[in-house]
């Protein structure tokens, strides 16, 4: 809140890029009161979708992500039984609840759900409990580095179940942490692919890699697209918060770095 107040009242900005459900939800009343457009690149709480007239998201939410995970597990991996390992956080709990809901609707069975604290590095007991349920797939909803340790330890414990991760696992941090044990890991992803995607995606990926020594996650691409959409609004004459808001509400088929963006009725990229 202090940072928001500084940006708005001292720096006089009317457009802010933020991330994380708790931060987004805390700032919604301030954004509404002061007519400041806030564009977020990741937030797991589904309530964010209907939180305010000045709040936008330029990539699909966790509803999209969890549905894709459940569908991939059921249809592509032919899983009948799944165990979940998730961070004990808003991101992890929300994603796990949605995944479980969708997977059961598709006729699948949830045989276990294990929760771990963010930042933990020892997951052997959790993995062994999950594996004891003989799942076809272990679904992982953690942040990128945490998930890397989970993947590494699963393989070193000899677990044969397929490993399927949320979008956060589609990250160089996960692959670097897990190392060779990441071979065979599945992760759902958006259109963005900095290695084999379109020319814009690959160019962004190369520039990011040159500076940060790793390919960029979708969240970095979404932040970039947020800035470029703001610039596009400026080019079209938008100056006030309401003009920027109205521009974003009418974004359709915008070709961004993260993919094709259309803002839906929830102010979220469809």
């Amino acid at each position: 809140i202090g940072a928001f107040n500084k940006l708005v009242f001292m720096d006089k900005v009317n457009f802010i890029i933020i991330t994380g459900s708790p931060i987004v939800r805390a700032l919604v009343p301030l954004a509404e009161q002061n007519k400041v457009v806030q564009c977020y690149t990741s937030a797991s709480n589904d309530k964010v979708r209907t939180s305010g007239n000045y709040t936008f998201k330029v990539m699909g939410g966790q509803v999209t992500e969890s549905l894709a995970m459940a569908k991939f597990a059921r249809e592509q991996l032919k899983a009948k039984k799944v165990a979940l390992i998730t961070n004990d956080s808003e991101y992890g709990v929300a994603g796990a609840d949605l995944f479980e809901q969708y997977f059961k609707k598709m006729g699948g069975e949830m045989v276990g759900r294990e929760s771990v604290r963010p930042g933990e590095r020892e997951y052997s007991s959790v993995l062994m409990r999950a594996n004891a349920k003989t799942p076809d797939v272990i679904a992982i909803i953690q942040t990128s580095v945490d998930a890397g340790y989970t993947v590494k330890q699963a393989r070193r414990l000899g677990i044969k179940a397929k490993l399927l991760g949320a979008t956060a696992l589609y990250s160089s941090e996960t692959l670097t942490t897990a190392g060779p044990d990441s071979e065979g890991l599945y992760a759902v992803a958006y259109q963005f692919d900095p290695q084999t995607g379109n020319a814009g995606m690959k160019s962004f990926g190369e520039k990011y890699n040159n500076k940060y020594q790793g390919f960029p996650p979708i969240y970095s691409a979404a932040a970039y697209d947020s800035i470029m959409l703001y610039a596009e609004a400026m080019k079209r004459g938008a100056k006030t918060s309401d003009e920027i808001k109205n521009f974003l509400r009418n974004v359709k088929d915008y070709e961004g770095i993260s993919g094709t963006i259309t803002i839906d009725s929830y102010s979220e990229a469809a």
Side-chain angles (χ1 to χ4, degrees):
I1 291 175
F4 178 95
N5 288 335
K6 176 186 179 299
L7 289 170
V8 173
F9 298 115
M10 295 181 65
D11 299 329
K12 306 298 182 183
V13 305
N14 61 0
F15 182 87
I16 298 174
I17 298 173
I18 54 179
T19 185
S21 297
I23 298 173
V24 175
R25 290 189 290 114
L27 294 181
V28 164
L30 295 175
E32 293 294 304
Q33 180 182 347
N34 296 286
K35 294 187 176 182
V36 173
V37 177
Q38 56 174 4
C39 199
Y40 62 98
T41 58
S42 69
S44 54
N45 192 311
D46 194 41
K47 293 179 180 178
V48 172
R49 302 177 78 207
T50 56
S51 58
N53 293 319
Y54 291 87
T55 300
F56 293 83
K57 190 177 185 185
V58 296
M59 58 179 282
Q62 202 156 20
V63 169
T64 303
E65 187 175 319
S66 296
L67 176 59
M69 281 184 71
K71 190 173 182 180
F72 189 85
R74 195 79 176 101
E75 296 181 2
Q76 301 300 318
L77 300 181
K78 308 300 181 185
K80 295 180 179 178
K81 300 190 297 181
V82 168
L84 267 168
I85 293 179
T86 177
N87 273 5
D88 185 13
S89 64
E90 191 168 87
Y91 165 71
V93 172
D97 287 347
L98 288 166
F99 177 89
E100 186 168 343
Q101 173 188 331
Y102 293 133
F103 190 69
K104 285 180 177 178
K105 281 185 178 180
M106 296 174 188
E109 179 186 0
M110 298 300 306
V111 296
R113 177 166 167 173
E114 300 289 339
S115 180
V116 296
R117 290 191 300 270
E120 282 190 18
R121 293 293 178 262
E122 177 51 54
Y123 302 114
S124 296
S125 60
V126 168
L127 284 162
M128 290 178 71
R129 285 198 301 270
N131 193 53
K133 305 292 185 179
T134 62
D136 302 308
V137 168
I138 294 177
I140 303 168
I141 304 178
Q142 294 177 282
T143 54
S144 55
V145 174
D146 288 358
Y149 284 99
T150 299
V151 171
K152 177 185 287 188
Q153 290 171 36
R155 291 311 182 213
R156 296 191 177 185
L157 286 169
I159 292 174
K160 302 301 183 184
K162 296 181 177 69
L163 303 180
L164 170 63
T167 302
L169 277 70
Y170 190 73
S171 162
S172 58
E173 292 177 328
T174 300
L175 300 181
T176 299
T177 303
D181 294 310
S182 63
E183 185 68 31
L185 169 67
Y186 298 91
V188 298
Y190 294 91
Q191 298 177 50
F192 177 64
D193 190 327
Q195 295 178 298
T196 62
N198 63 35
M201 294 177 185
K202 288 192 283 188
S203 175
F204 183 78
E206 289 170 4
K207 291 175 182 176
Y208 186 99
N209 184 52
N210 288 338
K211 186 168 185 177
Y212 300 108
Q213 288 75 56
F215 65 84
I218 178 65
Y219 313 109
S220 297
Y224 179 87
D225 284 340
S226 299
I227 295 170
M228 298 310 294
L229 281 168
Y230 175 70
E232 186 64 27
M234 296 293 101
K235 287 180 184 178
R236 299 193 185 189
K239 295 181 180 179
T240 68
S241 297
D242 283 327
E243 288 170 341
I244 297 167
K245 177 191 70 175
N246 291 336
F247 168 81
L248 291 174
R249 286 201 181 282
N250 290 288
V251 169
K252 184 177 181 180
D253 297 331
Y254 174 82
E255 292 299 332
I257 294 298
S258 61
T260 304
I261 299 171
T262 294
I263 303 296
D264 66 14
S265 59
Y266 293 104
S267 300
E268 182 175 281

